[in-house]
Amino acid sequence: MCRHLAYLGPPAPVGDLLTRGPHSLRTQSWAPRDMRGGGTINADGFGVAWWSLSSESPVLSRYRNAAPVWTDPAVEEVLPQLHSSAVLAAVRSATVGMPVEREACAPFVHGRWAFSHNGSIPRWRRTLTAVASRFGSPPLLDAEALTDSAVLWVIARELLDAGESPENVLRQLVRAVIELSPNSRLNLLLGDGESVWATTWHHSLSVLVTDTFAVVASEPYDDDSRWRAIEDRRLVSVRPGHLTVLDLDAVIEEGKAFS
Ligand code: GLN
């Protein structure tokens, strides 16, 4: 299944976040270490979104390609020229039956939000139609691609637009999807340029948080001893100097609302 990564910190070359470290996201696309039975390689495209925070309201830009990340010269020749203090990227392994096309590659973006889903939702059409009906029937036909992740994003972004906190959105989505399709894998990654939120549900995730920068990644890109592996079924909230890890089962059980 896919591998994803988010970075917050001092401005860094956008391309660098794809190639940084001996086990970079690009390396993870052809030699991932911790796929937990969910696929072998991540060669069905990639994408990267970055925020420009210099203007009054942040501008979110994106580059995607349905080809394997290691074949795209833009990674070496273009993306390193762009700098950002907030980046969210993903390499994709298409779930069986789903299209391989640019529009299916994360990150999915909306306003100031960028989103990635590492995982799969068995019987996703039926499941997500039912999930959507619980949340005011958002326009699923607006999905960029006919994939579980793109449709899940339509539901998520409607909730964000309605003013729900990112923690609430992720918690509610995981709960609703798992209820209807219990074997789903739901490692979700959401960013707004200032913070990152993520869930672990049957896939790997690690975080590296210091006072100056924060990284959330499916797999650590280097052997820095400060990487922390996140247990399964967690809800993580991260920014430089700040890490919160909540037990997602408990949070779902409590129906806890976040302000
Ligand atoms: N199911 C999603 C897709 O096909 C995500 C795939 C993944 O995590 N490998 O795009």
Side-chain angles (χ1 to χ4, degrees), residues 42-185:
N42 302 287
D44 298 318
F46 73 101
V48 56
W50 62 96
W51 288 258
S52 311
L53 302 171
S54 47
S55 54
E56 245 170 52
S57 55
V59 176
L60 184 52
S61 307
R62 174 174 62 168
Y63 178 80
R64 296 183 294 175
N65 186 347
V69 62
W70 65 83
T71 67
D72 188 337
V75 172
E76 301 273 356
E77 296 173 2
V78 181
L79 296 174
Q81 318 306 326
L82 302 160
H83 289 73
S84 175
S85 54
V87 178
L88 195 148
V91 292
R92 178 170 185 240
S93 164
T95 298
V96 173
M98 295 189 192
V100 176
E101 58 191 18
R102 187 198 315 268
E103 292 74 14
C105 293
F108 302 102
V109 298
H110 178 69
R112 66 193 166 104
W113 303 102
F115 173 79
S116 169
H117 165 218
N118 163 213
S120 59
I121 302 172
R123 301 181 313 281
W124 67 276
R125 291 169 197 264
R126 200 186 317 165
T127 300
L128 292 181
T129 303
V131 170
S133 70
R134 290 189 188 180
F135 295 112
S137 298
L140 299 187
L141 289 175
D142 285 355
E144 265 194 287
L146 269 176
T147 68
D148 49 3
S149 311
V151 172
L152 188 63
W153 176 232
V154 174
I155 304 172
R157 73 191 193 196
E158 285 277 309
L159 293 170
L160 291 166
D161 276 352
E164 294 267 6
S165 70
E167 290 95 338
N168 265 338
V169 171
L170 298 186
R171 171 182 66 81
Q172 292 185 68
L173 284 182
V174 171
R175 176 165 77 175
V177 171
I178 292 300
E179 238 174 69
L180 295 162
S181 186
N183 293 326
S184 295
R185 292 172 172 235

